[in-house]
Amino acid sequence: MDLYEHQARQLLADHGILVPRAKVTDSADRARAIARGLGGRVVVKAQVKTGGRGKAGGVRLADDPAAAERTARRILGMDIKGHTVRTVMLAEPVDIEEEFYVSYVLDRAAGRFLAIASAEGGTDIEEVAASRPEAVARIPVDPAEGVTSAKAAEIAAAAGLPPQTVDPLVRLWQVLVREDALLVEVNPLVRTREGQILALDGKVTLDDNARFRQARRGSDDCGHDDPLEAAAAAKGLNYVRLDGEVGVIGNGAGLVMATLDVVAGCGARPANFLDLGGGASAEVMADALAVVVSDPAVKSVLVNVFGGITACDAVADGILRAVDRVRPAKPLVVRLDGNNAVRGRALLDERAHPLVQQIPTMDGAARRAAELATTA
Ligand code: GDP
Ligand code: MN
């Protein structure tokens, strides 16, 4: 899960990295009062989970509270790379002397972490990395050893960062380890005119698999920006919203992924990924169907189940109960195979529900669902 800048900076601050004072709001009116509280001049920053906000006009300096309100009004509602700005952060402005780039990122292939640092941080870091890779130091970090002061000094020296960055580099590693992050990035880490080292931006990606041991990650903060994804997560379903028109329900992540490919191969686009998981009871099936059909983009639903531990007759029963409970106004194409498939298919045939049709093969079922979606 990616955090918003204001959440990331809180984690940095919790681990002793200096950050400018700041407050978040979704209202331009309140932005004025906040600016007043911060001393008048503020930087107004779009809170969206994507980089390049500065270049997109989502980071602007405002000289006084009235300007802060106008600027907030301009930035709120802006679209930055497909992300709508719902909140802005107002921060005390900082006089920047130098901008650095520092990050730790998991290097899966190497089974280690990588420290990436540059004395030429700021909004042009991508160009710097592309045109002059030697200006960006990349130092492997052994996860068992971590970033000690000595290691941080090595990173700082390799990147040409001043010695005052050693302490924040150690603390940034502590953020990564203690918060179970896969990525922590500060760009820019700045040296102010007074010689202080401050984090002016923060990006943190938390490891969702570690959520269980991170008690302080509240239940309201489970990383689902999409209301349907949040509703599905509340029901314990593995659901990811995509942008097509064929709703996809299957059991097992591998089967669901293969189903997405087959739908795409039929010239349609999957609207979602929904994995029922192991025990696909009637209840689970109904919850899944309710989530998928409530996406207005869904024109047809493909249910692709290979019966294993859960027999196909139980799944068929689940589908019929789900249809009765949810009363979808969209056609369902069902492919059942595996354990007790004959019995499962017979159950669906007996009921002959007008919205439910069966196709025995995965290819055929995907083709039919794609047809229904594109002609609907
Ligand atoms: P990003 O473009 O999404 O990475 O957003 P940043 O938070 O990094 O802001 C972009 C740029 O705005 C930074 O690289 C800084 O150069 C500049 N900036 C951000 N905050 C301040 C500030 O308080 N003072 C000054 N002078 N510049 C700032
Ligand atoms: Mn930045």
Side-chain angles (χ1 to χ4, degrees):
M1 170 183 49
D2 294 340
L3 298 185
Y4 286 101
E5 176 194 15
H6 67 90
Q7 298 170 317
R9 76 193 294 285
Q10 186 59 52
L11 294 185
L12 301 179
D14 288 349
H15 291 85
I17 296 173
L18 296 180
V19 297
R21 284 197 300 153
K23 276 207 162 108
V24 179
T25 182
D26 59 1
S27 133
D29 292 339
R30 276 198 292 276
R32 181 191 279 251
I34 291 171
R36 210 176 292 125
L38 291 171
R41 278 187 91 213
V42 288
V43 182
V44 186
K45 308 183 75 176
Q47 296 300 287
V48 281
K49 293 181 179 182
T50 181
R53 296 165 304 161
K55 291 199 169 169
V59 177
R60 290 174 188 275
L61 192 70
D63 279 327
D64 54 57
E69 178 180 337
R70 280 196 305 277
T71 307
R73 189 156 282 131
R74 235 170 110 186
I75 294 179
L76 285 165
M78 244 173 83
D79 179 277
I80 300 182
K81 298 183 188 166
H83 299 252
T84 306
V85 181
R86 307 241 176 259
T87 56
V88 289
M89 186 174 89
L90 295 101
E92 237 176 357
V94 170
D95 284 333
I96 301 176
E97 197 68 23
E98 280 186 284
E99 293 188 289
F100 314 123
Y101 174 95
V102 296
S103 69
Y104 299 115
V105 59
L106 178 61
D107 180 353
R108 290 182 193 274
R112 286 185 303 211
F113 283 86
L114 200 57
I116 306 176
S118 174
E120 297 178 48
T123 52
D124 290 326
I125 188 67
E126 278 86 4
E127 287 89 279
V128 171
S131 60
R132 284 183 302 108
E134 70 282 0
V136 181
R138 304 164 73 87
I139 312 267
V141 178
D142 183 322
E145 286 165 16
V147 177
T148 57
S149 292
K151 186 76 182 179
E154 179 194 337
I155 296 165
L161 307 183
Q164 304 100 290
T165 58
V166 167
D167 175 69
L169 278 168
V170 171
R171 293 181 186 276
L172 188 62
W173 178 259
Q174 288 163 356
V175 173
L176 180 108
V177 173
R178 295 189 189 151
E179 305 295 338
D180 281 313
L182 298 170
L183 164 81
V184 290
E185 180 192 83
V186 178
N187 183 36
L189 180 73
V190 305
R191 188 167 63 77
T192 67
R193 218 161 273 169
E194 299 75 37
Q196 271 190 323
I197 304 291
L198 260 85
L200 285 208
D201 186 12
K203 183 174 175 192
V204 171
T205 303
L206 298 176
D207 183 351
D208 292 334
N209 294 317
R211 187 175 289 138
F212 71 95
R213 62 180 183 194
Q214 290 288 354
R216 60 186 221 134
R217 292 188 202 168
S219 56
D220 56 333
D221 180 27
C222 46
H224 298 284
D225 296 327
D226 183 296
L228 274 181
E229 287 190 5
K235 297 278 186 190
L237 295 168
N238 294 311
Y239 170 85
V240 180
R241 194 170 189 178
L242 305 170
D243 57 5
E245 56 286 320
V246 178
V248 174
I249 299 174
N251 64 331
L255 182 64
V256 179
M257 276 194 271
T259 309
L260 302 186
D261 285 348
V262 176
V263 166
C266 294
R269 291 178 314 155
N272 67 282
F273 171 110
L274 196 153
D275 175 12
L276 294 165
S281 67
E283 206 48 45
V284 172
M285 189 66 219
D287 289 341
L289 193 62
V291 167
V292 171
V293 298
S294 59
D295 178 350
V298 167
K299 300 284 188 292
S300 70
V301 180
L302 172 57
V303 180
N304 187 14
V305 170
F306 191 91
I309 295 166
T310 309
C312 287
D313 52 337
V315 174
D317 182 49
I319 291 170
L320 293 173
R321 286 173 197 245
V323 169
D324 288 339
R325 198 187 96 188
V326 178
R327 302 192 172 281
K330 301 166 186 181
L332 266 70
V333 180
V334 180
R335 176 257 181 171
L336 293 178
D337 209 338
N339 184 12
N340 262 1
V342 174
R343 179 86 198 100
R345 291 176 189 162
L347 273 176
L348 290 183
D349 283 341
E350 277 162 31
R351 175 70 190 275
H353 191 287
L355 279 176
V356 181
Q357 46 186 296
Q358 294 198 73
I359 309 268
T361 66
M362 180 157 152
D363 279 350
R367 215 172 305 122
R368 184 74 190 118
E371 259 168 39
L372 287 167
T374 44
T375 56

